[in-house]
Amino acid sequence: MPLTGLKVLDFGRYIAGPYCAALLADYGAHVIRVEAPDGNDDRYTVPVAADGSGAMFLQMNRNKRCLTLKPGTPEGREIVRRLVARADVVIANLPHDALLKLGLDFDSLSAINPRIIVAAASAFGREGPLAERVGFDAVGQAMSGSVHLTGTQDQPFRAQVNYVDFGTALHCAFGIMLALRERGVSGKGQLVSGSLFATALAMTNALTIDHALNGIERQPLGNRAYSSGPTDLFRTRDGWIVTQIVGTPIFRRWAELVGRPELNDDPRFASDMLRGDNGEELSAIMQNWCSARTSEMAIVELAAARVPAAPVVKPADALAHPQVAAMGIVEPSAYPGTPVPAPVIRAPIELSASAKAPAAPAPQLGEHTHAILSELGYDAETISALREASII
């Protein structure tokens, strides 16, 4: 496994930090999740287990060990010092002032271990008027322009999937890989900084470039697209489907399929941008075609014509498709107190010559505290005293 031997301390919360650490754990890193003695809030989001552990927690914290700790206490700081002295990477998605307060900032940690790599993800970065503000995924979505462009003129919508959080986790994992490569040359660690706002802006950058260079203030189009068509959602006799018609060859095949070959010679539809500009008419044609078919009938015909399309499915049905089984990406994870194993999806990539670490479920609260402290040199009596004082 590529990351075997890499030691990671995960002080993360919710998604951006924990998912970054989970990706490293998937490929062999030894990750310790550091959690409050009574559990972090993110452990209990959307509870699915008897102990209150939630769906997001089971996904974000697979293949980790759990140490409960109050890192802000003198005893807690000493435990952190010992952990950092042995570690390669520290991950924390907290504002810079919170990192300073806990002694988890890069200057403090590099004084303990000059080889340490610290990945710090915040809402707005380390500098600027918003640097100390807190925020979650929706804040990044809203301030990047994405929410304004989603929905209708009367009602913008945010995405239910926390793509800004996940994107920040991925960028931080990428930054950690870069820092590890550099450390192999210099022998020194460094700070990897990520933010929700920067991630969100990176993902909407084509639209902001469009405005900066073309001066066009795009407005919400519902489910249509600005630069292609008919890209939209369509109601069928028994549900909904989506099509994404990008590129002239696909558009030509679509026009033939829906019985409108003359559209290929219509100057209003001569390019992707023009098809986006005139997408309302194209969507009306496609909606008429879909109204006479079930979702399955429509998808079969579109697939035969090699036109990108898919049914709109509920989360309850998403994992039931035979393609999911064929891809082998779901790994059932048995956590105590769940009615059935959780269908966890780990890093959705495969390396041709490197396997993932064997799957392990998310840890119970404090499951590995005694073992980890023993490895740091604490004896049983001291560990009991720390527990009695609610330090761990």
Side-chain angles (χ1 to χ4, degrees), residues 114-115 117 176-190:
R115 291 175 55 83
I117 294 165
I176 290 168
M177 294 298 101
L178 296 177
L180 286 169
R181 184 175 177 86
E182 174 62 22
R183 192 180 72 175
V185 176
S186 68
K188 297 180 180 180
Q190 61 181 294

Side-chain angles (χ1 to χ4, degrees), residues 9-360:
L9 302 178
D10 176 13
F11 290 89
R13 301 291 184 269
Y14 294 99
I15 297 174
Y19 190 65
C20 174
L23 294 173
L24 305 182
D26 282 343
Y27 278 95
H30 174 217
V31 179
I32 295 175
R33 171 183 164 90
V34 183
E35 194 169 352
D38 56 352
N40 292 346
D41 288 345
D42 64 337
R43 176 178 280 271
Y44 304 114
T45 301
V46 190
V48 294
D51 66 1
S53 294
M56 183 174 68
F57 177 82
L58 298 190
Q59 178 192 13
M60 299 299 149
N61 295 287
R62 72 268 183 161
N63 284 64
K64 300 179 186 178
R65 301 168 83 197
C66 178
L67 165 70
T68 51
L69 179 66
K70 289 183 178 178
T73 62
E75 299 90 342
R77 286 179 181 271
E78 173 58 21
I79 292 171
V80 170
R81 188 195 68 77
R82 296 194 192 189
L83 288 167
V84 170
R86 301 180 177 201
D88 296 291
V89 178
V90 172
I91 297 171
N93 53 318
L94 296 168
H96 186 60
D97 61 343
L99 295 177
L100 286 169
K101 183 177 180 180
L102 294 172
L104 297 177
D105 59 288
F106 177 69
D107 289 343
S108 298
L109 299 184
S110 62
I112 300 169
N113 179 357
R115 291 175 55 83
I116 201 72
I117 294 165
V118 178
S122 61
F124 294 103
R126 301 182 65 204
E127 306 293 338
L130 302 182
E132 299 307 324
R133 291 195 185 180
V134 297
F136 288 111
D137 177 276
V139 171
Q141 288 190 39
M143 291 194 65
S144 69
S146 174
V147 173
H148 170 73
L149 295 174
T150 305
T152 68
Q153 294 280 355
D154 296 326
Q155 175 66 66
F157 290 98
R158 69 172 179 87
Q160 290 288 353
V161 174
N162 298 310
Y163 70 84
V164 176
D165 276 331
F166 281 99
T168 302
L170 289 164
H171 285 121
C172 285
F174 173 64
I176 290 168
M177 294 298 101
L178 296 177
L180 286 169
R181 184 175 177 86
E182 174 62 22
R183 192 180 72 175
V185 176
S186 68
K188 297 180 180 180
Q190 61 181 294
L191 175 64
V192 176
S193 297
S195 76
L196 302 181
F197 191 30
T199 294
L201 288 171
M203 291 183 171
T204 59
N205 194 207
L207 291 167
T208 53
I209 290 173
D210 173 33
H211 178 263
L213 274 60
N214 291 329
I216 300 174
E217 189 68 65
R218 302 288 180 183
Q219 298 301 318
L221 295 178
N223 290 305
R224 300 206 325 268
Y226 299 100
S227 58
S228 65
T231 296
D232 206 342
L233 298 184
F234 302 100
R235 185 185 291 275
T236 65
R237 282 164 39 189
D238 60 353
W240 293 83
I241 68 166
V242 63
T243 63
Q244 190 165 11
I245 314 300
V246 179
T248 297
I250 293 176
F251 179 77
R252 288 184 177 279
R253 295 198 296 269
W254 170 81
E256 294 285 344
L257 175 67
V258 299
R260 297 293 301 274
E262 74 279 5
L263 297 176
N264 290 316
D265 299 319
D266 192 320
R268 295 175 301 159
F269 310 126
S271 69
D272 277 331
M273 283 305 302
L274 287 169
R275 291 189 281 271
D277 291 341
N278 297 285
E280 187 171 2
E281 181 174 341
L282 294 175
S283 286
I285 293 169
M286 185 57 176
Q287 180 57 69
N288 184 63
W289 185 85
C290 288
S291 295
R293 292 162 172 80
T294 64
S295 292
E296 183 178 1
M297 290 167 59
I299 294 299
V300 167
E301 291 185 53
L302 288 160
R306 297 189 58 77
V307 173
V312 176
V313 302
K314 300 174 183 176
D317 300 325
L319 300 183
H321 197 283
Q323 183 63 28
V324 176
M327 295 168 69
I329 60 173
V330 176
E331 300 186 40
S333 181
Y335 186 89
T338 58
V340 295
V344 172
I345 297 175
R346 295 203 287 164
I349 57 169
E350 297 292 338
L351 304 183
S352 64
S354 302
K356 290 186 180 77

